Each structure stands twice: as structure tokens, then as C-alpha cells.
Amino acid sequence: MRLAFKTASLSCCNCLFLPTLRRTFQTRSLPTKTLGLGLGFYPCRAIMAVPSRPPVQVRDNIQLNETEKKIFDRLLGTLRHFGLQNQLRVAGGWVRDKLLGKECYDIDIALDNMLGSEFVDKVQDYLLHVGEEAQGIAVIPCNPDQSKHLETARMRICDTWIDFVNLRCEEYCENSRIPTVQKYGTPEEDAYRRDLTINSLFYNINNCSIEDYTKRGIEDLKSGIIVTPLPPKATFMDDPLRVLRAIRFGARFGFILDEELKEAAACDEVKAALSAKISRERIGTEIDLMISGNQPVQAVAYISDLKLFWVVFSLHTKHEPAVSEGCDRLCVSYLEATWNLIQLIGPSTFTDEQRRRSLYAAMFLPLRKTIYKDNKGKKIPVVNYIFRDSLKRKASDAETVINVHHALEKFLSLIPYFASNEDALISEVNWARESVDVPLTSKPRVLTGFLLQEIKDFWRVALLMATLLYPPNNDCTEDLLSKNFELERRRALFIAAEDAILKLGLDKVWDAKPLLNGKEIMNVLQLKSGGPLVREWQQKIFAWQFAHPSGTAEECLEWMKETHSKRLKME
């Protein structure tokens, strides 16, 4: 049974929801020239029935907001001003999102017979002609070695970034996926070159119509299926990053990954291409979009299921100890437990950045004690390598996650105190500077104060990780994998500890200034310059402040003089 559209162009006259189309079996063919083979027609795979899912509401037309109307008016004005016959099409994600009733600020314009840089120059001239200023013009060259095959021109119109590219048609030699010939393509050729059918739709600005040249983009959007326009292996070998994009969109929209797509994504050839051909920056960007998205657990679970976890989160070759079999599934389980725990606690408890880094910290919990040695023999957490080398993320991400992993060990020793109304014995971790002479009853406040001073705004993230691992000597691997993780109990534990810290008045304690400055400390010590002794006393003064939250500078000075005097007498 073949499902056909009357036309590849869907009119956008009214705003009714289209009925959901169901596919049971479909075989499609397409011109081989889209593959550069020149042999007539290429029989594509049969698409079998997929598991049912709730129908997706897809709009029959695209409703432009005021900014989009102004942008498109200026682009059409450019055509009229220069007498150009170009068809201007918005491509990809903007069309998809608008059909789903979502706003999108990522506008990509596809040109049928002109380079993006040429058209941007004309838009700039037109804007100057009508008394407006073009902003932020830039040209990003193609880089075939990294699977970026198109030159892209950018500019700001109405405070919105717009990308301009030409429609493409590429031909490949037999043993390479780097195109040997690139020329202006037709909309159909370009559509089949897209990563996914749901991203292959166009909105024709000239005639205000939606164009579906694969004849299944709308259908797959309504059916909730992630599928490639061409056979998936060819699509992925063209640009292996499309594997991660397919995963991200599948998770984001709750769509089903096509079975043949999954087989291609997991094959060794595609995995090798993803590892060797795609820059780590591009991989890291995709992963960060997943972690920051609405379904990070599903996205990383797909990565694990498709045997891509260690391709994406590659480890230093000389890491130790060896990673156990199934470690990737444990990483996903910690991520899932943390995501669910955040929902139970209340997402508003964490900022977006705290949530993002808490998910990274959770995912890499099984690796927190794995290290490698640098050229000088220094032990470095392998998590540092993952962020800086495998994902090429900013250094602050690596530093924060590693600090969270260190801080959670100290939180584990404090949780018994936080969780009870009575004094609890605080186990000795590596508290170092914090173990100063303070009254026993004040010790929890002093230790917590120093801990928050160390981890700052991410103390709730470290506390969250500690509640996942509490009690510390209990192996929770089986509970995690079986999803029998007592999240309600851990939620209660987190809230009790958080409340205890807030009652101690320690939130934002890292912003507190010492009651005595360096000059005052040197006067008491009778020193002419600073040094290790001054830094040691600064820590003691903070300990005194934490132990005496209502203490004054004068009282602190008296205490320091008395303590220093006793030390001199003992010496």
C-alpha cells in the first residue's frame, strides 16, 4: 500500500489541525542523482509499521509573528529591488517547530541559485537603500574534512540571526564521503540531503507555502517517527554527527527511532566515522543540547543502547582502574535517578546551570575515582579528560563537576547530623584546614561553612549527589539498575539536610568577608609582610566566625590576641 500526497506543496490558508496519517507499509523510490550515482532510480528500503504512539498535532499552516513578517518583508524587498527571480525558502527546524505550534528563533534561508554570501551582500545594499543598517555580517567557510560541506553567510535582521546557504547537490567518489562535486541543487535534491525527514521541510517565503519534497516529512512529523530521507547509513556516513542529532530530536519530541536507523547508528563503520571525522567541539555541543534539553535521560539512554557511549565520552587511553562492563548503563541509571529526584524535590530548587551540571555530575559518578596521569605523572580525574578532550567543553564545567565529586564525600559525613535533631558523630574525611579547635557543638556549622565556601553556588548539587550515595558504604548498583532506588526517602533526606544548612544561616556564606583583614592579622602577629602564617590565621578567623555567627570584629580580635599569646607561651 502506497501513501501518496496530491502535491509536494501544502497550502497554508487556514489553521486547522490535519488528521493524523498512519503508515502500515510504504516503499519509496527517488532519483539516484541525489546520491550522485546516475543510474536512474534507487529503490529505498521498505518502511514497516512502527510501534503506535499518541498522535502529534501538526498545524496545516505557519503563522508568522511580527518579527518574522518584518524579516521576510525585507528579504522579499531585496528580490524586488534587484529584480531577482530567486525562490527564498526557510529550511529545517524552523518549519518543523512552527508546524508543531512552537516558536523558533533559528531561521535558515535556502537559496536556489545563489551563494549565501552573494545574497547577504544584496540584502545589506537593500537595507542601506531603505535607511536601515545591516548588522553582524559574517561568512563561515565550508570544511569538508569535518563534514561541513556548505559555506554559510550570517547577518542580523530585526535583532535576529539569519543564516543563508544555497540548496546543495553533491556527488561523491566511490571510497569517500567528501563530495567531489558541489553545485546548486533543486529543493528536492536538498531535501533528500537533510538529516531527517522532519527536518527536510521548506517554507517558501515567495508564495507562503509549505513544501514537502520527500513526500513524508509531514507524515513522519504527525506519526512521531525519526527517520532519514535516504538510507540511514548513507546519511550518517555523509555527516556522522547526524546520529547524535537523530538521538537528540527523538528524545526531545518523544518520537520513535526507526529500526533501520538504529541499526545503522550502531554499526562499526558509522561509529568509527563519528569518532574520526567529527570534531569534538561539534560532538560536545550536541551532548550539551541533550543534557540541557527536556529529556536528557532518554537521549543518553539511546547513546548507551546504540553502543555509542564510549565513542562520545571517550576516556584517556591510560586511565585506571579499568572501567567495569556495564559502566555505561550505571552512568545512565545515575543520570535517571538524579533527573527523577530533581523532579520530586522541585525543579525550581535548582537554576538551569545547576541542573545541567548536576546531570553531568550524576552521569559521571561511577567514574569519579578513575584517573590518568599527565606527562609529569600527576594524577588527573578522568572526568577532566572527558570534558576538556572528549567533549571540548569549557574548563569551568570540568572544574565544577570534579569539585562536586570531592565535596559530596564531605557531605556524606555531615548527612547524619543534618538528618537528625541530635548531635551525630561526624566521620573524619579529609577536612584538613577545617579541623581547627572549635567547640564540639559548633563543629558541624564550621565544617559546613568551609564546605559551602569551597563549592559555593553548587552546594545543593553536591548535596544532591551525596543523597544518591548515602549511606556511603552501601553498594547501590543493583538498586539503581533495577530502579528500586527509594527516591522518596532520598528526597526527604535532601530536604532535611537543605533545611538544616539554611537554619544554620550558611547560604551565601562564600560571600562573607573575614572580620579581620590581613593588616590587622599582621599587627597581632607582629609581621611586616604576609605569608603562610597569615593565610593560616585567615582560616582560623573564618572558623571562629562560623562558630560565633553573632561575633563582632572586636571580639574576634580579642580572641586572636589571646590565642596567639597562648601559643607563644607554649612555644
Side-chain angles (χ1 to χ4, degrees):
M1 173 179 165
R2 181 176 176 83
L3 185 61
F5 281 75
K6 290 184 179 179
T7 174
S9 179
L10 301 178
S11 172
C12 54
C13 302
N14 43 56
C15 189
L16 299 175
F17 288 108
L18 291 173
T20 301
L21 298 174
R22 290 289 181 185
R23 176 172 63 244
T24 55
F25 182 88
Q26 174 183 352
T27 304
R28 68 179 186 273
S29 298
L30 54 111
T32 310
K33 63 180 180 179
T34 61
L35 284 173
L37 300 177
L39 296 174
F41 282 86
Y42 182 86
C44 286
R45 69 192 188 283
I47 303 300
M48 301 301 294
V50 298
S52 61
R53 64 175 314 286
V56 179
Q57 288 187 319
V58 177
R59 296 193 173 195
D60 186 33
N61 79 337
I62 285 178
Q63 301 228 334
L64 303 180
N65 60 38
E66 290 304 312
T67 299
E68 291 162 345
K69 289 177 183 177
K70 291 177 182 178
I71 292 170
F72 296 166
D73 282 347
R74 282 152 179 76
L75 298 182
L76 292 173
T78 301
L79 296 182
R80 290 191 295 270
H81 180 72
F82 289 100
L84 300 174
Q85 300 301 312
N86 301 69
Q87 293 290 306
L88 301 179
R89 295 175 171 88
V90 189
W94 181 90
V95 185
R96 176 201 66 226
D97 287 354
K98 296 290 281 190
L99 287 173
L100 292 173
K102 305 175 186 292
E103 288 301 318
C104 181
Y105 306 98
D106 183 15
I107 300 177
D108 297 330
I109 305 296
L111 303 159
D112 55 358
N113 57 7
M114 183 181 290
L115 289 174
S117 55
E118 296 177 44
F119 189 72
V120 162
D121 288 341
K122 294 189 180 297
V123 175
Q124 181 182 22
D125 291 343
Y126 171 73
L127 292 177
L128 291 173
H129 175 75
V130 297
E132 297 182 17
E133 184 180 353
Q135 298 177 331
I137 295 176
V139 177
I140 305 168
C142 61
N143 185 357
D145 289 337
Q146 295 294 336
S147 292
K148 188 185 186 314
H149 303 313
L150 290 179
E151 173 192 279
T152 303
R154 305 193 78 197
M155 71 185 307
R156 285 179 69 86
I157 305 176
C158 301
D159 290 324
T160 302
W161 280 109
I162 314 294
D163 285 357
F164 297 85
V165 296
N166 58 281
L167 296 171
R168 67 170 178 165
C169 175
E170 298 161 351
E171 294 180 6
Y172 300 86
C173 64
E174 184 177 353
N175 298 317
S176 173
R177 293 310 301 168
I178 297 176
T180 56
V181 177
Q182 295 191 62
K183 57 188 178 182
Y184 297 125
T186 66
E188 181 181 14
E189 289 168 333
D190 188 274
Y192 277 106
R193 274 291 166 215
R194 297 279 164 174
D195 55 357
L196 305 171
T197 56
I198 64 171
N199 294 337
S200 68
L201 301 165
F202 294 107
Y203 174 74
N204 189 311
I205 297 175
N206 298 61
N207 56 32
C208 302
S209 66
I210 301 161
E211 298 173 341
D212 184 2
Y213 285 98
T214 68
K215 297 182 176 61
R216 56 174 300 172
I218 296 286
E219 178 194 351
D220 289 339
L221 193 60
K222 283 185 277 180
S223 299
I225 303 169
I226 297 296
V227 64
T228 55
L230 295 176
K233 187 174 180 180
T235 298
F236 293 156
M237 293 304 293
D238 179 13
D239 181 356
L241 191 71
R242 290 170 171 172
V243 174
L244 298 183
R245 286 175 56 82
I247 288 171
R248 176 162 63 86
F249 287 121
R252 173 183 170 186
F253 296 116
F255 287 3
I256 297 165
L257 298 188
D258 172 67
E259 285 301 317
E260 193 171 342
L261 180 149
K262 290 194 289 186
E263 290 176 13
C267 80
D268 290 340
E269 194 175 351
V270 169
K271 288 193 287 187
L274 178 62
S275 181
K277 191 176 179 182
I278 302 301
S279 73
R280 284 289 160 176
E281 288 87 350
R282 292 180 73 197
I283 291 175
T285 297
E286 282 297 320
I287 295 301
D288 213 54
L289 289 169
M290 294 180 199
I291 295 295
S292 303
N294 62 331
Q295 294 295 335
V297 178
Q298 182 61 71
V300 179
Y302 276 143
I303 290 174
S304 176
D305 291 344
L306 296 174
K307 310 301 181 186
L308 294 168
F309 194 88
W310 301 119
V311 175
V312 173
F313 306 109
S314 60
L315 305 179
H316 191 277
T317 53
K318 295 184 179 179
H319 66 274
E320 53 185 54
V323 172
S324 61
E325 185 179 354
C327 181
D328 59 325
R329 290 187 295 112
L330 190 57
C331 290
V332 176
S333 294
Y334 271 115
L335 176 66
E336 182 177 17
T338 300
W339 174 261
N340 291 334
L341 188 53
I342 288 173
Q343 309 312 308
L344 278 176
I345 292 168
S348 61
T349 303
F350 303 90
T351 65
D352 289 344
E353 188 65 2
Q354 288 168 349
R355 190 200 72 159
R356 185 180 73 87
R357 291 186 180 176
S358 69
L359 295 176
Y360 275 124
M363 183 164 59
F364 298 139
L365 273 177
L367 300 170
R368 70 188 186 282
K369 295 181 181 179
T370 305
I371 58 97
Y372 68 97
K373 293 180 181 179
D374 64 11
N375 293 333
K376 297 180 180 179
K378 182 181 178 182
K379 293 180 179 179
I380 309 292
V382 78
V383 171
N384 182 75
Y385 181 87
I386 294 173
F387 276 107
R388 293 183 180 231
D389 293 88
S390 300
L391 302 178
K392 294 291 185 183
R393 306 314 297 161
K394 51 192 178 184
S396 59
D397 280 348
E399 291 165 2
T400 298
V401 170
I402 290 169
N403 288 340
V404 164
H405 286 170
H406 289 159
L408 74 84
E409 302 292 345
K410 296 180 179 180
F411 266 125
L412 284 171
S413 73
L414 289 166
I415 282 178
Y417 168 79
F418 293 143
S420 66
N421 295 320
E422 302 174 0
D423 291 339
L425 183 63
I426 298 175
S427 62
E428 293 298 331
V429 193
N430 182 25
W431 289 101
R433 66 180 187 185
E434 295 89 334
S435 295
V436 294
D437 294 328
V438 295
L440 184 61
T441 55
S442 300
K443 193 169 184 179
R445 191 178 196 277
V446 173
L447 296 177
T448 306
F450 277 118
L451 180 52
L452 267 61
Q453 214 177 40
E454 176 185 319
I455 196 69
K456 298 183 174 61
D457 264 324
F458 291 92
W459 68 265
R460 283 185 175 86
V461 175
L463 177 61
L464 187 71
M465 298 301 104
T467 58
L468 285 175
L469 297 176
Y470 188 81
N473 297 320
N474 184 35
D475 186 359
C476 58
T477 301
E478 290 302 321
D479 288 340
L480 267 172
L481 295 177
S482 65
K483 305 187 187 302
N484 180 29
F485 204 51
E486 298 181 292
L487 287 177
E488 281 290 352
R489 181 178 67 82
R490 296 178 191 279
R491 170 186 173 274
L493 194 63
F494 175 89
I495 291 174
E498 181 192 35
D499 287 346
I501 291 170
L502 295 177
K503 286 177 182 177
L504 289 172
L506 290 172
D507 192 26
K508 302 291 183 184
V509 72
W510 52 91
D511 291 332
K513 304 293 183 187
L515 290 175
L516 303 180
N517 60 35
K519 186 176 181 180
E520 290 169 319
I521 294 172
M522 287 190 291
N523 285 339
V524 174
L525 300 178
Q526 297 182 341
L527 297 174
K528 293 183 179 180
S529 62
L533 190 57
V534 173
R535 287 193 293 272
E536 178 186 332
W537 273 98
Q538 285 174 328
Q539 293 306 308
K540 290 184 177 182
I541 288 167
F542 266 124
W544 187 89
Q545 287 180 226
F546 295 149
H548 304 83
S550 301
T552 64
E554 291 75 16
E555 291 171 336
C556 184
L557 184 61
E558 281 302 312
W559 165 82
M560 181 184 174
K561 289 178 179 178
E562 182 180 337
T563 305
H564 180 58
S565 177
K566 287 180 180 179
R567 174 189 270 191
L568 290 177
K569 288 178 182 178
M570 289 177 64
E571 292 176 351

